[in-house]
Amino acid sequence: RGELDATGAVDDGKNLLYRLNLAYQDQGGFRDFTNYQTTFVAPSLTFKLGEGTRLTLNYEYLRANFRDDDVYPNAREFLNVPRRRYFGEPQLEDNEYTGRLFSYEFTQALNRDWQFRQSLSILNQQSENQGVSLLGLQDDRQTLDRTFRRSTNDIENFSIQA
């Protein structure tokens, strides 16, 4: 996993500030055929517009690709199964998630004790998941029932506060 967090002023008067967060992770799992890869980018800009007035713009991007596995069924027959054993189908398993968040916050100090604040956020999340899920053992205690699953989600959320 690698990460970067940078912050500072863009101009000499320090009226424009930035922050940049980056992260990348690529790891395998303790079970065969599992992996997890994420990319995260989050830039931010703050504008000092005058005495007590600020506008901050934020953006976050997260992308995750992974091949996951199910938890072993609750049965004594699985106590002796090597923990690296993968019961899925690697060719069918694919999970992707993408999240994007944009937000801004505007603040204006009205006096020493009061301020006006307005914020907006827009969130978009998309996920596509498919793979094999474990259902359990049949009565013969040797046959494992599995099922194929597939889902797609697209979620948008918009909020504003004043």
Side-chain angles (χ1 to χ4, degrees):
R1 177 178 172 102
E3 297 181 32
L4 172 72
D5 187 352
T7 185
V10 175
D11 64 336
D12 292 335
K14 297 185 179 179
N15 292 314
L16 178 56
L17 309 172
Y18 76 92
R19 182 170 186 183
L20 178 62
N21 283 297
L22 303 172
Y24 177 78
Q25 181 173 341
D26 189 357
Q27 72 179 39
F30 65 88
R31 291 214 174 108
D32 294 332
F33 307 111
T34 60
N35 64 9
Y36 191 75
Q37 184 181 59
T38 59
T39 303
F40 178 73
V41 179
S44 176
L45 289 173
T46 298
F47 300 87
K48 293 181 181 178
L49 301 174
E51 186 66 34
T53 305
R54 288 181 175 227
L55 174 65
T56 300
L57 305 174
N58 299 298
Y59 179 75
E60 292 182 11
Y61 171 84
L62 173 64
R63 179 157 182 104
N65 297 62
F66 55 97
R67 182 180 297 137
D68 211 353
D69 64 341
D70 274 341
V71 175
Y72 289 176
N74 185 12
R76 69 180 181 279
E77 288 80 3
F78 289 92
L79 293 175
N80 294 323
V81 173
R83 72 181 213 142
R84 294 192 60 81
R85 177 83 38 90
Y86 179 74
F87 286 104
E89 295 292 335
Q91 305 87 343
L92 299 177
E93 190 75 38
D94 186 29
N95 300 287
E96 293 184 12
Y97 169 85
T98 303
R100 295 174 184 89
L101 173 66
F102 168 77
S103 65
Y104 82 79
E105 180 179 274
F106 174 80
T107 57
Q108 171 65 59
L110 301 175
N111 60 39
R112 200 172 61 116
D113 298 320
W114 288 86
Q115 75 174 0
F116 172 80
R117 180 180 161 276
Q118 181 190 37
S119 64
L120 166 89
S121 68
I122 301 168
L123 173 65
N124 175 267
Q125 297 175 316
Q126 298 170 327
S127 65
E128 294 182 19
N129 305 290
Q130 71 175 33
V132 173
S133 293
L134 309 181
L135 298 176
L137 288 174
Q138 291 184 5
D139 290 339
D140 67 5
R141 309 306 290 171
Q142 296 179 10
T143 306
L144 179 61
D145 284 332
R146 303 179 309 160
T147 186
F148 179 76
R149 60 172 166 67
R150 182 178 204 156
S151 66
T152 301
N153 294 300
D154 192 356
I155 300 169
E156 292 196 18
N157 186 334
F158 175 86
S159 66
I160 189 166
Q161 296 178 350

